[in-house]
Amino acid sequence: MLGEKQAEKAIVSNFSEADHDGGKELEGQEEKEDHSFSMKNFLWHGGSAWDAWFSCASNQVAQVLLTLPYSFSQLGMVSGIVFQIFYGLLGSWTAYLISVLYVEYRARKEKEGVSFKNHVIQWFEVLDGLLGPYWKAIGLAFNCTFLLFGSVIQLIACASNIYYINDHLDKRTWTYIFGACCATTVFIPSFHNYRIWSFLGLGMTTYTAWYLTVAAVVNGQVDGVVHTGPKKLVLYFTGATNILYTFGGHAVTVEIMHAMWKPRKFKYIYLLATLYVFTLTIPSATAVYWAFGDQLLNHSNAFSLLPKNGWRDAAVILMLIHQFITFGFACTPLYFVWEKVIGMHNTKSICLRALARLPVVIPIWFLAIIFPFFGPINSAVGALLVSFTVYIIPAMAHMLTYRTPEARKNAAEKPPHCLPGWTGMFLINMFIVVWVLVVGFGFGGWASMTNFVRQVDTFGLFAKCYQCKPSIPPPTHAVPPTPHH
């Protein structure tokens, strides 16, 4: 414990000196902490660039891996691949912008003598420090709502997946059970403590992605498979918005950066994580859509079409564990916000903090029971929340932060050498704002909400078992007629 406290002191006190003096790396106690080996540090106390990479890659793909074939059936093969690459690069760029703004905010605050020893910096605080209270309110509202529904989606997906192994209980009952299991994430203090979980989570997702790919190819195309591709604008923009959501997992970027020993190293980590994620999402979605075609339009979870065997059961179990991890990723920033609201953020007792965090889990649990269809929710969340939280707000915040010559001159981070200076950054940011506002929020919002309302009308709220196979009644045996006397 003493070594960890000394390391945290060194990180805070040396950040400005090391990170703002020609990009010189941090030296001192935390370097020793980084290289010294203990089982506790190995499993629990992570803060390296590799930890951040695993966290970003693991957090990007969870249950959405199972809905991408569904999106391909709405978009068609070519559009599905193009949108994945396009939104993956856009998401990497805005994650880079968020990292730049974090460094700017922290540099300014530390010049004022502010210490972050027992305080986790969050995105809405960066917006507040750089642009004022109105931007803080906007960032807080969008980010918290996005993370809330992101957590809801994980619970729904857990119930949906386990049903393919054990259908003796309906999906709503499984949601009750997994809600209780996921509530245990209140005991994980911060993103420092996700080291082993991030590593395992990415391994589990990698297995699941390649299982989907191989199983679809081995199973082959089903009889009469049809690939009609985009038939309706509603379906097309719903699928596109689900992919926009897929690569919008950096609502936790600032918290992951803050957990790093050297936050400046984060700049290109999200891009590298995205490139790895492409190797999982594109082959699996392509193979499953090739095999099943339009059948996926009525099966938002790819597991539902694959044959039941040990390989599939292993993939389901691993995905369940990973969804527990992703639930923690999405909920942890909400825990931090709630702790700050009730004045418990600086409390050192893990048990007291866990008790204080429990009220955050209750509404998530309840919403998962109300809306049990995570495929349509992905698209709705993508259009209405991710479009602003992940793409529009970071791009606009960057433009406004560096709108004056003085701000650009004193910027803690200069534009990349591959771009024509600040003008190039401004043009890219403007393109992102306009594109996502029109295509993502406008067309995507219309399509996803139309699809969402249809799902509610068809299956109703509080559905006991969404998209479950109808139970087969037991065979009835002919009963001889009773003789009349």
Side-chain angles (χ1 to χ4, degrees), residues 101 318 361:
L101 294 172
L318 292 178
V361 180

Side-chain angles (χ1 to χ4, degrees), residues 65 101 104 111 143 179 213 233 251 270 323:
L65 189 70
L101 294 172
E104 183 68 38
K111 285 178 182 177
N143 222 44
T213 306
L233 282 177
Y270 199 90
Q323 282 161 343

Side-chain angles (χ1 to χ4, degrees), residues 385-442:
L385 298 173
V386 175
S387 57
F388 283 94
T389 303
V390 171
Y391 299 94
I392 295 173
I393 292 176
M396 291 187 67
H398 189 274
M399 288 189 288
L400 292 173
T401 299
Y402 298 109
R403 64 188 181 278
T404 64
E406 183 182 0
R408 294 193 291 270
K409 180 181 177 182
N410 298 320
E413 285 280 351
K414 304 298 181 184
H417 297 298
C418 59
L419 291 178
W422 292 100
T423 303
M425 294 200 76
F426 178 84
L427 291 174
I428 294 175
N429 291 342
M430 276 302 300
F431 169 77
I432 290 173
V433 170
V434 173
W435 175 274
V436 176
L437 193 61
V438 174
V439 178
F441 176 71

Side-chain angles (χ1 to χ4, degrees), residues 184-205:
T184 59
T185 57
V186 297
F187 290 99
I188 303 176
S190 73
F191 282 98
H192 272 300
N193 314 115
Y194 273 97
R195 163 172 277 185
I196 191 65
W197 291 114
S198 298
F199 175 78
L200 292 175
L202 188 58
M204 294 167 186
T205 310

